[in-house]
């Protein structure tokens, strides 16, 4: 079978958020869709390993923030490639508390939905939650980001816990020559591009530093991947 056929399915890019007690968490999801209009029911597929899965299972509520095309990779990195077990994703995120107490991310959000879980279906690595929508608002007219746009324009990739993760796409150019020290390197985890001309000043890497000169303990500023997870970009 040609797995590339699966790439032809269209998706959006969302932040699904939930709560557990006073704790808030959220994650990037591309599998949010409307099931019925009467009643207004949506579904989302969430990896069982994710903290948000634990929160939704416990609180039975979640919100969906629909992200716009101008969403910065840093927001996707924070919500898509980092775990709420390691960082507080809401510490420096613009959000509001919805009717159920679940947070609604407002950063780069053009519209949002609030939902209460009706049912869950165990599908192995993931759980599909169906939920009734009882709240929502449109915040602006910016175009929603599609998964295609995320891949093609933002050069983003999928983490291994994503329902749509495909091994093949993340292993390309593995044996490219790593000697092109003056060139740019791409993070194979999140798609971040290290440009020697720009460096990574936030991590103390000055502009003009070739990828090879970066200390071995440096990590991707977006997703935290280590140096060996970068690949040279052939231009
Ligand atoms: Fe990265």
């Amino acid at each position: 079978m040609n797995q590339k056929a699966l790439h032809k399915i269209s998706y959006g890019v969302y932040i699904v958020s939930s709560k557990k007690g006073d704790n808030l968490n959220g994650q990037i999801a591309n599998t949010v869709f409307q099931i019925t209009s009467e009643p207004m029911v949506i579904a989302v597929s969430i990896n069982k390993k994710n903290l948000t899965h634990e929160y939704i299972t416990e609180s039975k509520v979640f919100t969906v923030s629909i992200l716009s095309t101008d969403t910065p990779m840093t927001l996707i990195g924070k919500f898509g490639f980092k775990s709420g077990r390691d960082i507080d994703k809401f510490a420096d995120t613009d959000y509001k508390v919805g009717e159920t107490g679940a947070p609604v991310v407002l950063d780069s959000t053009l519209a949002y939905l609030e939902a209460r879980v009706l049912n869950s279906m165990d599908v192995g690595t993931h759980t599909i939650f169906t939920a009734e929508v009882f709240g929502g608002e449109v915040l602006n007219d910016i175009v929603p980001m599609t998964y295609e746009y995320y891949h093609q324009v933002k050069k983003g990739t999928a983490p291994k816990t994503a329902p749509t993760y495909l091994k093949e796409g993340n292993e390309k150019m593995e044996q490219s020559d790593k000697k092109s020290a003056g060139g740019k390197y791409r993070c194979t985890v999140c798609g971040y591009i290290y440009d020697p001309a720009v460096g990574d000043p936030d991590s103390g890497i000055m502009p003009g530093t070739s990828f090879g000169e970066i200390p071995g303990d440096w990590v991707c500023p977006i997703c935290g991947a280590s140096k060996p997870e970068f690949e040279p970009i052939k231009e």
Side-chain angles (χ1 to χ4, degrees):
M1 101 151 246
N2 185 352
Q3 289 202 343
K4 289 198 171 107
L6 288 166
H7 292 174
K8 303 303 179 188
I9 299 176
S10 297
Y11 303 94
V13 181
Y14 314 98
I15 293 178
V16 172
S17 305
S18 188
K19 62 155 188 173
K20 184 181 178 185
D22 292 333
N23 296 321
L24 310 177
N25 197 50
Q27 64 156 81
I28 298 284
N30 63 303
T31 48
V32 174
F33 58 102
Q34 186 172 354
I35 306 270
T36 55
S37 53
E38 287 181 26
M40 236 183 301
V41 174
I42 57 171
V44 59
S45 176
I46 301 286
N47 192 294
K48 289 179 183 172
K49 290 180 184 163
N50 292 355
L51 187 62
T52 306
H53 184 280
E54 182 185 322
Y55 284 19
I56 296 174
T57 302
E58 169 108 1
S59 66
K60 304 261 188 267
V61 292
F62 64 87
T63 68
V64 177
S65 294
I66 302 168
L67 299 180
S68 60
T69 45
D70 62 2
T71 302
M73 281 303 292
T74 46
L75 187 73
I76 293 175
K78 180 166 60 173
F79 279 91
F81 293 93
K82 290 182 179 174
S83 172
R85 295 184 182 95
D86 303 323
I87 61 159
D88 177 2
K89 297 183 182 182
F90 285 85
D92 56 352
T93 299
D94 184 21
Y95 73 97
K96 69 170 188 176
V97 176
E99 278 183 49
T100 58
V104 178
V105 172
L106 299 175
D107 278 340
S108 302
T109 294
L110 60 97
Y112 67 85
L113 301 168
E114 294 190 75
R116 285 194 185 93
V117 172
L118 294 170
N119 271 303
S120 59
M121 184 194 288
D122 186 333
V123 287
T125 55
H126 290 64
T127 297
I128 297 172
F129 295 100
T130 59
E132 182 155 14
V133 177
F134 64 89
E137 201 55 71
V138 176
L139 304 177
N140 61 56
D141 292 328
I142 305 176
V143 177
M145 179 150 65
T146 61
Y147 208 48
E148 174 76 4
Y149 184 94
Y150 169 66
H151 283 299
Q152 298 302 323
V153 182
K154 310 289 263 191
K155 305 296 178 198
T157 60
K160 288 177 182 166
T161 52
T164 49
Y165 174 77
L166 285 173
K167 225 174 170 185
E168 188 190 327
N170 291 273
E171 284 177 348
K172 59 182 184 242
M173 296 203 297
E174 198 139 283
Q175 51 246 2
S176 309
D177 65 327
K178 305 237 172 189
K179 291 188 185 108
S180 57
K184 297 176 184 172
Y185 278 69
R186 177 186 293 124
C187 174
T188 57
V189 178
C190 74
Y192 162 81
I193 292 170
Y194 176 79
D195 182 349
V198 178
D200 178 17
D202 290 345
S203 301
I205 310 297
M206 290 303 121
T209 307
S210 72
F211 189 78
E213 292 168 331
I214 300 174
D217 59 355
W218 175 82
V219 296
C220 173
I222 293 186
C223 70
S226 59
K227 264 186 92 176
E229 294 181 89
F230 278 69
E231 64 186 12
I233 299 175
K234 286 185 173 167
E235 296 182 74

